[in-house]
Amino acid sequence: MNAESSRSHLVMMMVVRSTNRRSGETVFGKLTLVDLAGSERVDKSGAEGQRLKEAASINKSLSAIGDVVSALTTNNKHIPYRSHALTTLMSDSIGGSAKTVMVVCCSPADYNTKESLSALSFAKRCKNVKNTASPAQAAAQVQALKAELDRLKKTNTAKGKAPDQAHRPMTTRGQLPPGPSPYGR
């Protein structure tokens, strides 16, 4: 760690919403930029006091990211996204449905060879993470949920409950408002 290091991570998320003026259809996109602080070898830097606490915190968060990457590349059933605030924020970028790009900065100095090799090794492990969700999969999930909803509506109808009356909003006196259901049918 050098004297100018901020000793912190930076996470910036930008949500973009676009609405088609003709059809009224709205789509959303999210851009997440993450600048991770580098790990620190405490014995090499000689950090003490507050700087030592900062270094330990940074190393802990980087280890949490490493645990998530490791779980994703070994196909574990449990991915520890919630083990750290940073991995929770980055959950849709690491193994989610996002397109992810990683840039690794390495030092050309020979006395930083171990740190550079460690960073490159981590990047190689990250490269093996496959973001699985695709628009076709999302559409299939939506269709499956719609089919489930239709099935539940039929079950309710078979039990004698009209689906349009089961979910109608109540008036201030707790009675159904007159007229047709605002939910269709």
Side-chain angles (χ1 to χ4, degrees):
M1 183 172 358
N2 59 40
E4 292 83 26
S5 174
S6 65
R7 292 182 287 286
S8 63
H9 303 302
L10 170 71
V11 178
M12 183 176 75
M13 294 181 179
M14 182 178 7
V15 177
V16 178
R17 181 182 70 178
S18 177
T19 304
N20 184 322
R21 291 184 183 181
R22 289 185 184 167
S23 69
E25 180 184 1
T26 301
V27 292
F28 293 88
K30 181 167 83 169
L31 175 66
T32 305
L33 300 174
V34 181
D35 179 14
L36 298 175
S39 64
E40 179 181 355
R41 300 200 188 279
V42 177
D43 56 338
K44 184 176 178 180
S45 69
E48 297 176 339
Q50 185 62 30
R51 287 183 68 185
L52 181 59
K53 288 180 184 178
E54 292 169 352
S57 180
I58 288 168
N59 290 345
K60 183 178 178 183
S61 62
L62 293 173
S63 291
I65 294 171
D67 293 343
V68 168
V69 168
S70 179
L72 287 168
T73 56
T74 58
N75 296 321
N76 282 355
K77 290 182 180 181
H78 172 70
I79 311 299
Y81 288 118
R82 294 184 181 171
S83 65
H84 195 277
L86 186 62
T87 54
T88 303
L89 283 172
M90 296 174 61
S91 62
D92 59 348
S93 299
I94 307 174
S97 60
K99 293 185 187 272
T100 305
V101 176
M102 180 177 190
V103 177
V104 178
C105 298
C106 296
S107 172
D110 60 349
Y111 58 85
N112 287 330
T113 302
K114 285 184 181 179
E115 288 84 354
S116 294
L117 289 175
S118 176
L120 291 171
S121 173
F122 177 72
K124 185 176 180 180
R125 286 185 14 219
C126 288
K127 185 177 179 182
N128 293 328
V129 173
K130 303 293 182 217
N131 290 353
T132 56
S134 70
Q137 287 175 329
Q141 287 176 341
V142 168
Q143 290 301 323
L145 290 171
K146 284 182 179 180
E148 178 71 9
L149 183 61
D150 287 340
R151 187 188 66 77
L152 291 172
K153 284 181 181 179
K154 288 177 185 175
T155 303
N156 268 350
T157 303
K159 290 181 179 179
K161 296 179 183 177
D164 62 334
Q165 291 184 357
H167 300 289
R168 289 176 64 190
M170 298 292 195
T171 63
T172 55
R173 294 187 180 166
Q175 300 170 342
L176 290 173
S181 168
Y183 300 110
R185 290 196 184 205

